[in-house]
Amino acid sequence: MTGKVDRTVRAGNQASAGELLELVRSGRARTRGALQQATGLSRATVGQRLDRLFRAGWLREGAGGPVDSPLGGRPSITLEFDDAHAIVLAADLDTRHGRAAVLTLTGEILAERSGVLVIDEGPEAVLGELGRWFAELLVKAGKPAGAVCGIGLAVPGPVDSDTGRVVQPPIMPGWDGYDIRGRLSHAFAMHAGARTDVPVLVDNDANLMAYGEQRTGYPDCSAFALVKVSTGIGAGMVVGGTIYRGIDGGAGDIGHIRVGADALCRCGSYGCLAAVASGGAVARRLVESGVAAASGSDVRELLTSGHPEAMALAREAGRQVGDVLATVVTLLNPGVLMIAGDLAGTPFLTGVRELLYQRALPRSTAHLDVVTSRLGERAGLVGAGALVVEYLYAPERAEERLAALGV
């Protein structure tokens, strides 16, 4: 389950029902006539393939659209993706807390909760608790377990998207190579009385935050980068509408770029960016000066209250991150650089801008918007939900599911 979407629609009689669905969902063709023009299919063939989608409950007819013919006539009936036929579960794990939700297929949150989930307690305990949360959220949302078509999970570590397993995660002890999909699917089934074959997709938290933010706020941005600065530091990139993961899920792990300091990082190396500029690093420096702060979330509370030392340290951390981001921006040339996570406030953002614009070439920043998160703590949930929907309703996968439904 890679979550990759094939947006290529074949012309002629090869265009499938799944590809017609993709055209409708993307807004590229919203009427029967437009589908004929886009695919070259006959009116009868379009009708047959749409009938499969209607019988599955995936499409519905909307209001009358513009007249297809220049000669006039009755308004054509528009086609819409029916987001009421199923729901998605999503969860976003940080080092010390988690957030979970029930979402519609178009990303609306129907029920949500957050609470303490300590990643150090290991996958067996954490995923078992998530299964219980999901069951309770379905009751809160008034939805049956059978309506769940998939589960999306964001984790704070590098993920091999082909297997859904984390790979040598610096801040997730005990999770390396663990079967997250299988454990979460069975935990959900046990607590909710659901089937055990519900698809589970897992990805890095910064990737899914970037995906959620780009899709909802910057859909026309072809190169989008998000940097999450919380207990650790990671980046997610959406290029051409698709998450860029690298060859094995390691893309965006900027927290372990060496910056020349002698601080020991949780990965075992010295001088990593995360060791000197993450929320965890700022928390340690605050503790050394007598201020209680156990994690990035504690630093966030101090920043919210205007604590002067926390603000000064956050600005300095922003300068250190901005120095690294000058290279990232030069390499990727994004249109939007979004700062998110516990430290994503004015002091940190000011520090980022100071060094970024000082070190990067003007050509790289001329059309760059440096912004903060729009979705806030929900970004990972929205991205995880979108990942599931894009995977399940991609043309080839949609065809497989239609055949399994017998339509």
Side-chain angles (χ1 to χ4, degrees), residues 331-352:
L331 178 65
L332 183 62
N333 189 209
V336 175
L337 173 63
M338 178 174 284
I339 308 299
D342 291 329
L343 266 59
T346 300
F348 186 86
L349 191 63
T350 299
V352 166

PDB file of all heavy atoms in Angstrom, residues 331-352:
ATOM      1  N   LEU A 331      17.596  23.983  -3.047  1.00  0.00           N
ATOM      2  CA  LEU A 331      17.497  22.697  -3.743  1.00  0.00           C
ATOM      3  C   LEU A 331      16.100  22.451  -4.308  1.00  0.00           C
ATOM      4  O   LEU A 331      15.945  22.067  -5.467  1.00  0.00           O
ATOM      5  CB  LEU A 331      17.862  21.571  -2.772  1.00  0.00           C
ATOM      6  CG  LEU A 331      17.763  20.138  -3.320  1.00  0.00           C
ATOM      7  CD1 LEU A 331      18.784  19.933  -4.427  1.00  0.00           C
ATOM      8  CD2 LEU A 331      17.974  19.131  -2.200  1.00  0.00           C
ATOM      9  N   LEU A 332      15.061  22.709  -3.499  1.00  0.00           N
ATOM     10  CA  LEU A 332      13.693  22.370  -3.887  1.00  0.00           C
ATOM     11  C   LEU A 332      12.979  23.491  -4.631  1.00  0.00           C
ATOM     12  O   LEU A 332      12.098  23.237  -5.457  1.00  0.00           O
ATOM     13  CB  LEU A 332      12.886  21.986  -2.636  1.00  0.00           C
ATOM     14  CG  LEU A 332      11.448  21.524  -2.832  1.00  0.00           C
ATOM     15  CD1 LEU A 332      11.412  20.240  -3.676  1.00  0.00           C
ATOM     16  CD2 LEU A 332      10.771  21.288  -1.486  1.00  0.00           C
ATOM     17  N   ASN A 333      13.335  24.744  -4.333  1.00  0.00           N
ATOM     18  CA  ASN A 333      12.670  25.907  -4.935  1.00  0.00           C
ATOM     19  C   ASN A 333      11.150  25.842  -4.751  1.00  0.00           C
ATOM     20  O   ASN A 333      10.389  25.917  -5.711  1.00  0.00           O
ATOM     21  CB  ASN A 333      13.017  25.984  -6.426  1.00  0.00           C
ATOM     22  CG  ASN A 333      12.558  27.275  -7.074  1.00  0.00           C
ATOM     23  OD1 ASN A 333      12.263  27.306  -8.265  1.00  0.00           O
ATOM     24  ND2 ASN A 333      12.461  28.368  -6.312  1.00  0.00           N
ATOM     25  N   PRO A 334      10.686  25.747  -3.494  1.00  0.00           N
ATOM     26  CA  PRO A 334       9.244  25.652  -3.259  1.00  0.00           C
ATOM     27  C   PRO A 334       8.551  26.989  -3.393  1.00  0.00           C
ATOM     28  O   PRO A 334       9.186  28.048  -3.297  1.00  0.00           O
ATOM     29  CB  PRO A 334       9.163  25.153  -1.805  1.00  0.00           C
ATOM     30  CG  PRO A 334      10.388  25.734  -1.168  1.00  0.00           C
ATOM     31  CD  PRO A 334      11.454  25.707  -2.243  1.00  0.00           C
ATOM     32  N   GLY A 335       7.235  26.934  -3.594  1.00  0.00           N
ATOM     33  CA  GLY A 335       6.440  28.149  -3.613  1.00  0.00           C
ATOM     34  C   GLY A 335       5.969  28.530  -2.224  1.00  0.00           C
ATOM     35  O   GLY A 335       5.721  29.696  -1.930  1.00  0.00           O
ATOM     36  N   VAL A 336       5.834  27.515  -1.362  1.00  0.00           N
ATOM     37  CA  VAL A 336       5.401  27.730   0.020  1.00  0.00           C
ATOM     38  C   VAL A 336       6.315  26.944   0.947  1.00  0.00           C
ATOM     39  O   VAL A 336       6.593  25.761   0.716  1.00  0.00           O
ATOM     40  CB  VAL A 336       3.939  27.275   0.233  1.00  0.00           C
ATOM     41  CG1 VAL A 336       3.551  27.398   1.707  1.00  0.00           C
ATOM     42  CG2 VAL A 336       2.984  28.087  -0.631  1.00  0.00           C
ATOM     43  N   LEU A 337       6.803  27.610   1.982  1.00  0.00           N
ATOM     44  CA  LEU A 337       7.533  26.965   3.068  1.00  0.00           C
ATOM     45  C   LEU A 337       6.722  27.196   4.333  1.00  0.00           C
ATOM     46  O   LEU A 337       6.602  28.334   4.787  1.00  0.00           O
ATOM     47  CB  LEU A 337       8.936  27.547   3.207  1.00  0.00           C
ATOM     48  CG  LEU A 337       9.747  27.061   4.411  1.00  0.00           C
ATOM     49  CD1 LEU A 337      10.008  25.569   4.336  1.00  0.00           C
ATOM     50  CD2 LEU A 337      11.073  27.827   4.510  1.00  0.00           C
ATOM     51  N   MET A 338       6.167  26.133   4.889  1.00  0.00           N
ATOM     52  CA  MET A 338       5.305  26.254   6.062  1.00  0.00           C
ATOM     53  C   MET A 338       6.040  25.756   7.303  1.00  0.00           C
ATOM     54  O   MET A 338       6.649  24.687   7.297  1.00  0.00           O
ATOM     55  CB  MET A 338       4.012  25.446   5.862  1.00  0.00           C
ATOM     56  CG  MET A 338       3.071  25.486   7.053  1.00  0.00           C
ATOM     57  SD  MET A 338       1.483  24.676   6.703  1.00  0.00           S
ATOM     58  CE  MET A 338       0.694  25.930   5.678  1.00  0.00           C
ATOM     59  N   ILE A 339       5.964  26.541   8.372  1.00  0.00           N
ATOM     60  CA  ILE A 339       6.545  26.169   9.659  1.00  0.00           C
ATOM     61  C   ILE A 339       5.411  25.711  10.565  1.00  0.00           C
ATOM     62  O   ILE A 339       4.431  26.425  10.763  1.00  0.00           O
ATOM     63  CB  ILE A 339       7.298  27.345  10.306  1.00  0.00           C
ATOM     64  CG1 ILE A 339       8.306  27.947   9.317  1.00  0.00           C
ATOM     65  CG2 ILE A 339       7.982  26.900  11.581  1.00  0.00           C
ATOM     66  CD1 ILE A 339       9.375  27.000   8.857  1.00  0.00           C
ATOM     67  N   ALA A 340       5.548  24.499  11.121  1.00  0.00           N
ATOM     68  CA  ALA A 340       4.491  23.926  11.957  1.00  0.00           C
ATOM     69  C   ALA A 340       5.117  23.273  13.182  1.00  0.00           C
ATOM     70  O   ALA A 340       6.336  23.161  13.295  1.00  0.00           O
ATOM     71  CB  ALA A 340       3.682  22.905  11.147  1.00  0.00           C
ATOM     72  N   GLY A 341       4.265  22.860  14.108  1.00  0.00           N
ATOM     73  CA  GLY A 341       4.749  22.187  15.305  1.00  0.00           C
ATOM     74  C   GLY A 341       4.732  23.093  16.527  1.00  0.00           C
ATOM     75  O   GLY A 341       4.255  24.230  16.493  1.00  0.00           O
ATOM     76  N   ASP A 342       5.292  22.585  17.618  1.00  0.00           N
ATOM     77  CA  ASP A 342       5.224  23.282  18.908  1.00  0.00           C
ATOM     78  C   ASP A 342       5.904  24.647  18.900  1.00  0.00           C
ATOM     79  O   ASP A 342       5.479  25.567  19.593  1.00  0.00           O
ATOM     80  CB  ASP A 342       5.870  22.406  19.997  1.00  0.00           C
ATOM     81  CG  ASP A 342       5.062  21.161  20.298  1.00  0.00           C
ATOM     82  OD1 ASP A 342       3.824  21.212  20.171  1.00  0.00           O
ATOM     83  OD2 ASP A 342       5.668  20.134  20.658  1.00  0.00           O
ATOM     84  N   LEU A 343       6.959  24.803  18.128  1.00  0.00           N
ATOM     85  CA  LEU A 343       7.709  26.067  18.141  1.00  0.00           C
ATOM     86  C   LEU A 343       7.236  27.059  17.086  1.00  0.00           C
ATOM     87  O   LEU A 343       7.792  28.161  16.962  1.00  0.00           O
ATOM     88  CB  LEU A 343       9.206  25.798  17.938  1.00  0.00           C
ATOM     89  CG  LEU A 343      10.046  25.664  19.221  1.00  0.00           C
ATOM     90  CD1 LEU A 343       9.528  24.531  20.080  1.00  0.00           C
ATOM     91  CD2 LEU A 343      11.510  25.448  18.878  1.00  0.00           C
ATOM     92  N   ALA A 344       6.208  26.714  16.337  1.00  0.00           N
ATOM     93  CA  ALA A 344       5.806  27.527  15.178  1.00  0.00           C
ATOM     94  C   ALA A 344       5.050  28.784  15.580  1.00  0.00           C
ATOM     95  O   ALA A 344       3.884  28.971  15.259  1.00  0.00           O
ATOM     96  CB  ALA A 344       4.942  26.698  14.230  1.00  0.00           C
ATOM     97  N   GLY A 345       5.751  29.677  16.251  1.00  0.00           N
ATOM     98  CA  GLY A 345       5.177  30.965  16.617  1.00  0.00           C
ATOM     99  C   GLY A 345       6.045  32.087  16.090  1.00  0.00           C
ATOM    100  O   GLY A 345       7.030  31.868  15.376  1.00  0.00           O
ATOM    101  N   THR A 346       5.711  33.309  16.478  1.00  0.00           N
ATOM    102  CA  THR A 346       6.412  34.481  15.958  1.00  0.00           C
ATOM    103  C   THR A 346       7.909  34.489  16.243  1.00  0.00           C
ATOM    104  O   THR A 346       8.710  34.772  15.332  1.00  0.00           O
ATOM    105  CB  THR A 346       5.765  35.765  16.507  1.00  0.00           C
ATOM    106  OG1 THR A 346       4.394  35.809  16.091  1.00  0.00           O
ATOM    107  CG2 THR A 346       6.486  36.996  15.976  1.00  0.00           C
ATOM    108  N   PRO A 347       8.370  34.174  17.465  1.00  0.00           N
ATOM    109  CA  PRO A 347       9.819  34.222  17.706  1.00  0.00           C
ATOM    110  C   PRO A 347      10.593  33.259  16.808  1.00  0.00           C
ATOM    111  O   PRO A 347      11.609  33.631  16.213  1.00  0.00           O
ATOM    112  CB  PRO A 347       9.942  33.818  19.181  1.00  0.00           C
ATOM    113  CG  PRO A 347       8.627  34.186  19.786  1.00  0.00           C
ATOM    114  CD  PRO A 347       7.615  33.904  18.710  1.00  0.00           C
ATOM    115  N   PHE A 348      10.132  32.022  16.698  1.00  0.00           N
ATOM    116  CA  PHE A 348      10.819  31.026  15.875  1.00  0.00           C
ATOM    117  C   PHE A 348      10.772  31.425  14.404  1.00  0.00           C
ATOM    118  O   PHE A 348      11.786  31.360  13.699  1.00  0.00           O
ATOM    119  CB  PHE A 348      10.169  29.662  16.080  1.00  0.00           C
ATOM    120  CG  PHE A 348      10.885  28.530  15.379  1.00  0.00           C
ATOM    121  CD1 PHE A 348      11.939  27.883  15.986  1.00  0.00           C
ATOM    122  CD2 PHE A 348      10.505  28.135  14.105  1.00  0.00           C
ATOM    123  CE1 PHE A 348      12.615  26.852  15.341  1.00  0.00           C
ATOM    124  CE2 PHE A 348      11.164  27.119  13.451  1.00  0.00           C
ATOM    125  CZ  PHE A 348      12.221  26.468  14.072  1.00  0.00           C
ATOM    126  N   LEU A 349       9.598  31.848  13.931  1.00  0.00           N
ATOM    127  CA  LEU A 349       9.450  32.238  12.531  1.00  0.00           C
ATOM    128  C   LEU A 349      10.342  33.425  12.195  1.00  0.00           C
ATOM    129  O   LEU A 349      10.937  33.486  11.112  1.00  0.00           O
ATOM    130  CB  LEU A 349       7.989  32.567  12.239  1.00  0.00           C
ATOM    131  CG  LEU A 349       7.597  32.752  10.774  1.00  0.00           C
ATOM    132  CD1 LEU A 349       7.820  31.468   9.998  1.00  0.00           C
ATOM    133  CD2 LEU A 349       6.143  33.197  10.667  1.00  0.00           C
ATOM    134  N   THR A 350      10.470  34.367  13.130  1.00  0.00           N
ATOM    135  CA  THR A 350      11.348  35.522  12.914  1.00  0.00           C
ATOM    136  C   THR A 350      12.790  35.068  12.727  1.00  0.00           C
ATOM    137  O   THR A 350      13.505  35.541  11.834  1.00  0.00           O
ATOM    138  CB  THR A 350      11.253  36.489  14.104  1.00  0.00           C
ATOM    139  OG1 THR A 350       9.908  36.961  14.228  1.00  0.00           O
ATOM    140  CG2 THR A 350      12.197  37.671  13.922  1.00  0.00           C
ATOM    141  N   GLY A 351      13.219  34.127  13.578  1.00  0.00           N
ATOM    142  CA  GLY A 351      14.579  33.604  13.459  1.00  0.00           C
ATOM    143  C   GLY A 351      14.805  32.880  12.144  1.00  0.00           C
ATOM    144  O   GLY A 351      15.860  33.035  11.513  1.00  0.00           O
ATOM    145  N   VAL A 352      13.823  32.089  11.716  1.00  0.00           N
ATOM    146  CA  VAL A 352      13.933  31.387  10.431  1.00  0.00           C
ATOM    147  C   VAL A 352      14.121  32.384   9.299  1.00  0.00           C
ATOM    148  O   VAL A 352      15.016  32.231   8.445  1.00  0.00           O
ATOM    149  CB  VAL A 352      12.685  30.518  10.169  1.00  0.00           C
ATOM    150  CG1 VAL A 352      12.641  30.061   8.716  1.00  0.00           C
ATOM    151  CG2 VAL A 352      12.659  29.312  11.093  1.00  0.00           C
TER     152      VAL A 352
END
